[in-house]
Amino acid sequence: MCGLGDDRFEGEAADLEAGIWVRGVDYLSGWRDAREAAAELGDALSLVGVESAGVRLRAGSGPDGGGVVRLELSPGSAREVALLARVAVARLGRAG
């Protein structure tokens, strides 16, 4: 996913073909789970107003077949997410 509203994930084929495959490991299930989680995260970031131009989400799978979501942020978007996390912690009354 290049931006928050995109329906595609950049490099899907490249990620699935990039590593060494181990017989019997279900990489596709992990990737599907990661793809759903990345979409959920993208939706949540969009809802709280994080600019989509500064966000890149990618779904992949790890060596064990488990899903992996890669999040890349521009410095401005990283600061937005950090501020949102601090506000959430303050509202919940948790020290951190």
Side-chain angles (χ1 to χ4, degrees), residues 16-33:
L16 292 174
E17 297 171 359
I20 297 174
W21 291 64
V22 177
R23 184 179 302 249
V25 175
D26 184 7
Y27 296 101
L28 196 53
S29 272
W31 174 81
R32 282 186 191 126
D33 186 37

Side-chain angles (χ1 to χ4, degrees), residues 82-92:
L83 176 62
L84 289 166
R86 288 186 189 102
V87 168
V89 166
R91 285 186 180 167
L92 294 173

Side-chain angles (χ1 to χ4, degrees), residues 9-88:
F9 291 87
E10 186 172 292
E12 290 175 8
D15 281 352
L16 292 174
E17 297 171 359
I20 297 174
W21 291 64
V22 177
R23 184 179 302 249
V25 175
D26 184 7
Y27 296 101
L28 196 53
S29 272
W31 174 81
R32 282 186 191 126
D33 186 37
R35 184 175 177 185
E36 291 172 12
E40 290 176 29
L41 179 57
D43 290 345
L45 290 172
S46 181
L47 282 173
V48 296
V50 175
E51 287 292 321
S52 64
V55 177
R56 181 176 169 187
L57 292 165
R58 290 182 42 175
S61 51
D64 65 350
V68 176
V69 176
R70 291 176 181 86
L71 169 63
E72 294 179 19
L73 300 168
S74 68
S77 291
R79 289 182 182 100
E80 279 184 78
V81 170
L83 176 62
L84 289 166
R86 288 186 189 102
V87 168

